[in-house]
Each structure stands twice: as structure tokens, then as C-alpha cells.
Amino acid sequence: MRYCENCGASLKETAKFCDQCGAPVKAGEEVKKYCKNCQAQLEQGALFCPECGYRAVEDPEPTPGPEPTPDPEPTPIPDPTPVPPNPQENAPALISVGLHAFWTALIAVVMSCAGAIWMAEESSWMDFGEAFLLIGIMGLVGWLIAVGFFAIARNYQKAAQRERDPQRQRLLERQAGFVAPFGYLLALFAPLVLAFVCLYL
């Protein structure tokens, strides 16, 4: 068995260079082995130096294997951003204050005429003109209050469209639907109530 003079590794018979350290091997000559620490000659096959105890045969360095390729991190799928509901979508149309004021004005005039006719027929101290003037003032006051109710109902509807809380939104819509009919009730009954009060109370 032949050994490398440089590192002491075992050599093949036909090797010209050490396969561990690459040192050239002299053909036909006994390869001598020396301690790397104290340069003392070592016997063939010796693992440690007899002079200093230095390890003669070094373990070959492990060949580094390929580094493992880390798995690519999965790309997070972004959550779809929820679209906030638009409170103005599917919202009921706003109350037209002008249109309702027109119709309640007609109702107030008709009911004032009816109340004046009723008072003129039932009373002996008031003619139609005086009765219409008195009842007409009451009809006008009722009409103005009715227009105020329509404006309040419209404000409730606007607040409901801006509101994001569904429960609060429904409450405002119910309030708008509750206030608006009172305008028509005032225009309808205010002149007759005044006529009844003047005649029987």
C-alpha cells in the first residue's frame, strides 16, 4: 500500500497525484510520510505522530452538497374589497314640497268654500262672504302648516339617504311617511273644524 507524502492518504498503485491533496507522486519510489506539525517521519499507515501525537491522516472534507432551494412563498390572494352599499341606490323619491303644496292649496280652498257655505246656511248672523273670510283664514293657516309638514318629511328622507345604519334609516323613512299625510289632513279638516266650532260651541 502506498501513501501520500504530503497528507498521508492511501494511494492507488498507478496514481500519479494524490486524490486528496493533489500532491505529485514519484513513480518507483517509496513515498515517505511526515508529520505536518513537527516534520517527524511517520511509519507507513500511522494515524498519529509518535513524536507529538498530531493526527497524521486528516478526514477528508465533506463535499458540500447543493443547497436546497427554498420553496417559493405562495402569493397571497388579496381579499376582494367589499363595496359599501350606496344609500342613495333604491332610495324612494324625495317628496316634492311644491307639488304637495299645490294640491293641499286646492283642497284648502274647496274645504274653505264648503265650510263657508255650511256656516252661511246654519247661522243667521253671518253671510257667505264673512264666513268664507273667516274659514279661509283658517284654511290658509292649515295650508301653511301642511307645507311645513311636507318640508319636514323631505328632510327626514334626505337624512335617511345619508344614514348608513339600516335601522336608523328605516326609522327616518317611517317618520317621513308619517308626517307627510298630516299636511293633507290639516288642509282637509281645518276649515270644517273651525266652522263646527263657530256654529256649535
Side-chain angles (χ1 to χ4, degrees):
M1 178 66 69
R2 302 170 63 194
Y3 296 92
C4 176
E5 183 179 358
N6 182 45
C7 64
S10 59
L11 301 174
K12 296 180 180 179
E13 295 297 332
T14 58
K16 296 183 178 180
F17 295 91
C18 176
D19 57 0
Q20 297 294 328
C21 65
V25 178
K26 296 180 180 179
E29 296 182 4
E30 184 70 22
V31 178
K32 296 180 180 180
K33 185 177 179 183
Y34 296 92
C35 176
K36 292 184 178 181
N37 184 41
C38 64
Q39 304 302 323
Q41 185 174 355
L42 302 175
E43 296 180 359
Q44 297 296 332
L47 299 178
F48 297 92
C49 176
E51 299 294 334
C52 65
Y54 185 79
R55 185 176 177 86
V57 179
E58 296 181 357
D59 294 332
E61 296 181 359
T63 303
E67 295 182 359
T69 303
D71 296 334
E73 296 182 359
T75 303
I77 301 175
D79 295 335
T81 304
V83 179
N86 188 356
Q88 295 184 356
E89 292 181 357
N90 301 325
L94 295 177
I95 290 176
S96 176
V97 178
L99 182 61
H100 288 285
F102 172 76
W103 288 113
T104 51
L106 290 179
I107 293 173
V109 170
V110 172
M111 297 309 295
S112 296
C113 291
I117 293 172
W118 182 28
M119 284 189 65
E121 290 180 354
E122 294 292 331
S123 66
S124 58
W125 50 273
M126 185 177 294
D127 59 10
F128 176 78
E130 294 173 341
F132 182 77
L133 180 61
L134 179 62
I135 300 299
I137 292 174
M138 187 63 182
L140 177 62
V141 173
W143 176 75
L144 291 175
I145 297 175
V147 173
F149 280 155
F150 297 143
I152 292 172
R154 183 182 176 89
N155 289 335
Y156 279 145
Q157 287 182 330
K158 288 183 177 180
Q161 289 182 355
R162 293 191 300 267
E163 185 63 45
R164 294 187 178 275
D165 184 8
Q167 184 175 2
R168 176 67 176 167
Q169 186 178 13
R170 288 192 297 269
L171 176 61
L172 291 171
E173 290 174 354
R174 284 197 299 268
Q175 289 175 342
F178 180 76
V179 169
F182 270 98
Y184 285 94
L185 293 177
L186 278 172
L188 185 64
F189 292 109
L192 297 180
V193 170
L194 180 59
F196 178 82
V197 171
C198 293
L199 289 174
Y200 300 108
L201 297 178

